[in-house]
Amino acid sequence: MSSETDRSTGSTRALGDTWRSVDDGLRTVGSRINPVFQPLADGYNRLFGAYFGEMNGLQFLLIFGSLLGLLTAPFWGTFSLVQTMTIACIWAVFAMSWDIQSGYTGYISFGHSVLSGAAAYATAMLVYNVDPEMSMAVTIPLSILAALVVGLLIALPTLRLSGPYFSLITFVAVLIFYRLIRPFSEYTGGETGIQGVEVFTYDPLVRYYYMLIPMLVVAVALTFVARSNIGLVLMAIRENESAVNAAGLDATKFKLWSFVLSSIPMGIGGVLLVHYYGSVDPTTFVVVDNSIEMIAMAVLGGMSSILGPLGGAFLFVVLEDFLLEGLPASARWTILWVIILLVLVFARDGLFRKLWHKLDSYGHRGENR
């Protein structure tokens, strides 16, 4: 027994020594690369640091290297990878939208798929029931407005609650929305949904940018909000809601604001998805599974960070639809959820937030997110 314990302790020490050696090596490399990009980071910090947070050279390299990679993906990626990244853009919008509400306030919503579903169904029903020739210039704002209205209908009665009751009611909202689709099948298409919605374009390269540009706009807007005083209040609600109320701020109003704010990009994502597929049905747009996947993406990247869920969405979708594509569906799902469980156990801040903090320590400059 004693020898087994000694061997176990020895293995743990060896693993710890190996990790420290790797960490020291990365730190040495990082300290050499950081000064190269620090002048660019300083320029960014002077112009935008007050609005979006300051960065050191390594963090600047990560963010703008990733941005450059996204903008040029059709020129270096395979057709299959670009198709996957096109879908990932839409899911990144969903994950970031979920995060600005649930990640920042700590009120976990299982009902966000209703918001994207409301926008998608609004688009399809306007074309199907009102005017097949209706312009996107009309359907898109009306559909985002529909997501906003549904968000208010859920938020107004539920955000006065706390604890698990909020999550339970958002979960029930999905079930109600799902069940209402069949009785109104004359308008909603029932279980088979509505086909024949106009797609943005069939050109895969143009379609990629149709999804990428709105995603980047949503990321910039939500990051700006998250770094503002509103974001600080939302995080304070997560940490201690009673203290926020005691400070004279109405926490319920801020929670309502976060839900409304979350509804708008969810509506944008719903519109992007329906014009990507050219159809809408309850299984693809409304089921609770979609909300669970948004949460998984946020957890994978790092909740309450906006850019974390963005990275988590890309990692999740690329893993599922590209890297693990050849495996049976059950094996793909098992691997994905095991990875998420491992992240929850060993890296609760998420992979991208952990990477961000590492780059911060290697560069010895910048703010943590």
Side-chain angles (χ1 to χ4, degrees), residues 61-78 81-90 92-93 96 204-217 219-220 306-307 309-315 317-318 352:
L61 177 62
L62 173 68
I63 293 296
F64 285 90
S66 301
L67 178 61
L68 183 63
L70 287 173
L71 290 172
T72 59
F75 304 102
W76 54 263
T78 63
L81 178 60
V82 174
Q83 289 288 94
T84 303
M85 290 177 69
T86 304
I87 288 290
C89 288
I90 303 173
V93 172
M96 290 186 290
L205 188 144
V206 178
R207 183 167 55 186
Y208 173 70
Y209 288 107
Y210 267 57
M211 306 302 165
L212 177 66
I213 300 303
M215 184 208 74
L216 293 176
V217 172
V220 170
I306 298 300
L307 296 183
L310 190 159
F314 270 83
L315 181 58
V317 176
V318 170
F352 289 91

Side-chain angles (χ1 to χ4, degrees), residues 115 118-119 122 141-151:
L115 305 176
L142 288 178
S143 300
I144 295 172
L145 181 62
L148 184 62
V149 171
V150 172

Side-chain angles (χ1 to χ4, degrees), residues 76-133:
W76 54 263
T78 63
F79 176 81
S80 177
L81 178 60
V82 174
Q83 289 288 94
T84 303
M85 290 177 69
T86 304
I87 288 290
C89 288
I90 303 173
W91 278 97
V93 172
F94 292 152
M96 290 186 290
S97 307
W98 180 89
D99 190 59
I100 194 65
Q101 197 279 316
S102 294
Y104 275 78
T105 64
Y107 279 73
I108 304 300
S109 168
F110 293 108
H112 264 50
S113 61
V114 167
L115 305 176
S116 58
Y121 264 94
T123 296
M125 290 171 68
L126 284 169
V127 174
Y128 183 68
N129 298 301
V130 180
D131 181 4
E133 303 299 326

Side-chain angles (χ1 to χ4, degrees), residues 205-361:
L205 188 144
V206 178
R207 183 167 55 186
Y208 173 70
Y209 288 107
Y210 267 57
M211 306 302 165
L212 177 66
I213 300 303
M215 184 208 74
L216 293 176
V217 172
V218 168
V220 170
L222 291 184
T223 302
F224 177 78
V225 172
R227 303 285 308 188
S228 69
N229 291 335
I230 293 174
L232 293 176
V233 174
L234 297 182
M235 285 193 288
I237 290 172
R238 183 187 63 204
E239 300 300 327
N240 192 334
E241 185 172 343
S242 299
V244 173
N245 285 320
L249 299 172
D250 189 336
T252 301
K253 285 185 179 178
F254 279 95
K255 288 187 292 183
L256 181 62
W257 161 245
S258 72
F259 208 98
V260 169
L261 177 65
S262 178
S263 301
I264 296 171
M266 284 301 298
I268 294 172
V271 167
L272 293 177
L273 199 58
V274 72
H275 284 297
Y276 174 85
Y277 285 124
S279 62
V280 62
D281 64 80
T283 304
T284 307
F285 284 81
V286 183
V287 290
V288 175
D289 298 28
N290 289 354
S291 298
I292 302 295
E293 289 185 7
M294 293 173 206
I295 298 172
M297 292 168 185
V299 167
L300 197 58
M303 291 168 57
S304 66
S305 62
I306 298 300
L307 296 183
L310 190 159
F314 270 83
L315 181 58
F316 188 98
V317 176
V318 170
L319 271 173
E320 182 186 11
D321 294 346
F322 185 74
L323 296 178
L324 304 176
E325 186 184 11
L327 298 177
S330 57
R332 289 206 308 266
W333 276 100
T334 302
I335 293 171
L336 269 173
W337 288 101
V338 166
I339 290 172
I340 290 162
L341 282 174
L342 291 173
V343 170
L344 275 172
V345 173
F346 296 106
R348 289 186 180 179
D349 284 342
L351 297 179
F352 289 91
R353 286 194 71 186
K354 198 171 184 64
L355 174 62
W356 189 262
H357 288 301
K358 278 291 177 188
L359 294 179
D360 185 44
S361 67

